[in-house]
Amino acid sequence: MTVVIALEVVPGSDAERAEIEEMVRRCSPDSLYHRFHGVVGTPGRAAALLAGPAQEVYVARESGTCVGVASVADDDQACPHIGILVEDAWQRRGVGTALIAAAACGARRRGVTALVADVLYEDRFILEMLRRIGPVTTAASNPGYTARVALAPELLDCAA
Ligand SMILES: CC(C)(COP(=O)(O)OP(=O)(O)OC[C@H]1O[C@@H](n2cnc3c(N)ncnc32)[C@H](O)[C@@H]1OP(=O)(O)O)[C@@H](O)C(=O)NCCC(=O)NCCS
């Protein structure tokens, strides 16, 4: 089932990190492992990584509650890293797809032409999700792939 959710770009402020920390508490250790590719520590530490000050943060909310977060890091202006986390109860309902699309549109409007994502071998389905925003090239990087998505020019036309 695909759901319609509200998507917002939020600043990495204390208020946003608090609601993201609450979402992290509802996530399984497995989901957190797949997002961070390892043990991340406390929910507060995870929220700080998901919504740090040097990141563009996209939040998916359902009835006012944060259910998913896309983070586009400020690490490389030309080709920043993207990471997505959707809480378990909301996975496979279209939230991740919507977050990737929103983050890609936002990045393209800022002049970014490519995004990079670290994808575990067992999460190869994410490469298909990324192909929806542009052509993907991959390089092997233990334990998975470094995927580079060239953002499609037509993303500039997406709604602000
Ligand atoms: C990866 C993740 C962001 C996907 O978000 P989502 O909201 O579940 O994804 P969607 O519902 O938009 O699904 C997109 C597609 O991926 C497929 N998919 C989703 N989860 C899948 C899984 N675990 N295995 C195989 N396919 C999967 C869906 O079937 C869908 O395919 P379709 O559009 O062809 O039907 C989410 O599962 C998650 O947060 N996982 C834990 C953290 C993580 O792995 N993050 C990615 C690394 S940064």
Side-chain angles (χ1 to χ4, degrees):
M1 176 180 65
T2 300
V3 293
V4 177
I5 45 162
L7 287 164
E8 285 178 36
V9 189
V10 301
S13 70
D14 289 348
E16 275 75 30
R17 273 192 292 280
E19 69 165 337
I20 290 168
E21 183 174 334
E22 283 308 305
M23 187 202 81
V24 166
R25 289 181 195 282
R26 294 190 296 274
C27 289
S28 65
D30 192 56
S31 282
L32 295 175
Y33 175 83
H34 282 260
R35 170 62 180 85
F36 295 107
H37 301 185
V39 178
V40 70
T42 64
R45 165 93 178 119
L49 292 171
L50 293 169
Q55 282 170 315
E56 188 94 351
V57 183
Y58 297 79
V59 163
R61 287 201 183 85
E62 214 290 319
S63 303
T65 300
C66 171
V67 298
V69 180
S71 319
V72 180
D74 234 0
D75 51 352
D76 179 340
Q77 296 291 334
C79 193
H81 264 84
I82 182 172
I84 315 274
L85 177 65
V86 176
E87 71 172 79
D88 294 58
W90 282 88
Q91 288 177 10
R92 303 195 84 151
R93 298 168 77 175
V95 176
T97 297
L99 281 168
I100 287 175
C105 288
R108 196 74 182 84
R109 280 196 299 267
R110 291 197 314 280
V112 172
T113 54
L115 293 172
V116 169
D118 295 318
V119 178
L120 295 173
Y121 287 121
E122 63 261 42
D123 292 335
R124 283 185 299 277
F125 69 91
I126 293 172
L127 300 178
E128 295 308 316
M129 293 177 73
L130 294 173
R131 283 193 183 98
R132 294 171 179 168
I133 56 169
V136 174
T137 51
T138 56
S141 85
N142 196 23
Y145 309 91
T146 299
R148 184 181 185 282
V149 198
L151 296 177
E154 55 267 30
L155 289 171
L156 284 172
D157 299 332
C158 57

